[in-house]
Amino acid sequence: PPPLPPPSAMLSSRGPALCTALRRAAPGGLASFHSSARHCRAARVAVVLSGCGVYDGTEIHEASAVLVHLSRGGAEVHMYAPDVPQMHVIDHSKGQPAEAESRNVLVESARIARGKITSLAKLTTADHDAVIFPGGFGAAKNLSTFAVDGKDCKVNREVERVLKDFHKAGKPIGLCCISPVLAAKVLSGAEVTVGHEEEEGGKWPYAGTAGAIKELGAKHCVKEVTISFAAHVDTKNKVVTTPAFMCETALHHIFDGIGAMVKNVLKLTGK
């Protein structure tokens, strides 16, 4: 078959108006379109884990949802966890502490990260555009002492540093489920959500957390778990939160709500 005409000839056959529009949009020629695409950088997002398992570490479904939505959003992801012992180990089949066991938060988090994880001490704002904290009781046990001390809790030193550094740099912070208590404790006047403020017959079993958030000096905003109303965006502080498993509901609602949080975090990066 005869060879195809060069791209310029094919464009010309569609009329001079199209050629003129393309020249104005790309003065350097068609090659400049490819060049600009190569220079478009993905958002670099750090994900901070707190172990592996809802009752003593990161809630695995939440971590997975965060990673899926970040992947769909084209983000470059790096995972971190503090290199510290867990508060305790829970036998998830019984919901009871395994008294004779001890585990390391970084080592357990590596299970979710498929081994690709770094000590939280090495996380810097210079290398990332945003940071996200999935939930799970590890946020209240290993990243802080909230599970034991409530409003009088202390936050892990490296977690506090990361939150303050990203806030100071004006880079977005995403948190879901119980992890918004970290922002409430560290970032004065932050606006966050953990869902509703009443249990409503067991639908919101951890509703009391909202009261503790207020006692910490943060503003609590009532939100649903469904996608349309799931994420609260504190534009002033660039903090994005969503209830996730604070609500007893279908898994797909939680997945979609986390997607709303991730989408807003990526939007705030400006990438």
Side-chain angles (χ1 to χ4, degrees):
L4 289 172
S8 57
M10 294 175 70
L11 288 170
S12 298
S13 67
R14 297 187 182 183
L18 178 58
C19 294
T20 301
L22 284 170
R23 290 190 193 100
R24 287 175 178 171
L30 291 177
S32 65
F33 278 116
H34 299 287
S35 176
S36 63
R38 285 196 299 269
H39 290 115
C40 183
R41 187 170 60 80
R44 300 168 299 178
V45 181
V47 176
V48 179
L49 304 179
S50 61
C52 182
V54 57
Y55 298 124
D56 59 8
T58 299
E59 212 298 323
I60 299 171
H61 296 295
E62 291 183 13
S64 179
V66 167
L67 296 173
V68 168
H69 287 296
L70 285 173
S71 175
R72 184 169 287 149
E76 177 185 324
V77 178
H78 301 275
M79 284 176 270
Y80 297 85
D83 188 0
V84 297
Q86 290 186 185
M87 173 185 154
H88 60 188
V89 177
I90 296 293
D91 180 339
H92 281 63
S93 69
K94 300 176 181 178
Q96 298 174 353
E99 301 292 350
E101 289 191 48
S102 62
R103 299 185 185 183
N104 177 278
V105 175
L106 178 64
V107 172
E108 290 302 295
S109 298
R111 294 175 180 272
I112 297 174
R114 298 173 63 88
K116 296 179 180 179
I117 196 162
T118 305
S119 171
L120 187 60
K122 296 182 179 180
L123 172 54
T124 67
T125 56
D127 295 328
H128 301 87
D129 301 302
V131 62
I132 292 179
F133 292 79
F137 280 101
K141 294 179 176 181
N142 304 327
L143 303 188
S144 72
T145 63
F146 182 80
V148 176
D149 300 323
K151 67 180 180 61
D152 299 317
C153 67
K154 295 181 180 179
V155 175
N156 172 278
R157 181 180 60 185
E158 292 298 336
V159 172
E160 182 173 1
R161 175 189 63 81
V162 167
L163 287 168
K164 288 182 175 179
D165 285 355
F166 273 82
H167 182 255
K168 184 178 180 180
K171 295 184 176 182
I173 300 166
L175 310 103
C176 61
C177 195
I178 192 70
S179 66
V181 300
L182 302 172
K185 176 68 176 180
V186 174
L187 306 178
S188 178
E191 296 179 2
V192 301
T193 188
V194 290
H196 282 210
E197 298 179 358
E198 301 292 336
E199 290 190 18
E200 299 177 21
K203 182 178 180 180
W204 296 90
Y206 310 107
T209 306
I213 283 173
K214 293 176 184 177
E215 290 182 299
L216 287 168
K219 178 180 179 181
H220 182 260
C221 303
V222 174
K223 288 285 180 177
E224 302 294 338
V225 75
T226 51
I227 188 168
S228 300
F229 307 99
H232 178 74
V233 182
D234 177 353
T235 53
K236 178 182 177 182
N237 293 296
K238 290 192 175 181
V239 173
V240 187
T241 50
T242 191
F245 276 103
M246 298 298 276
C247 181
E248 290 288 341
T249 188
L251 180 60
H252 69 279
H253 291 313
I254 291 163
F255 183 90
D256 290 344
I258 290 173
M261 180 268 287
V262 170
K263 183 178 181 178
N264 279 284
V265 166
L266 293 177
K267 183 178 179 180
L268 286 173
T269 67
K271 301 293 182 180

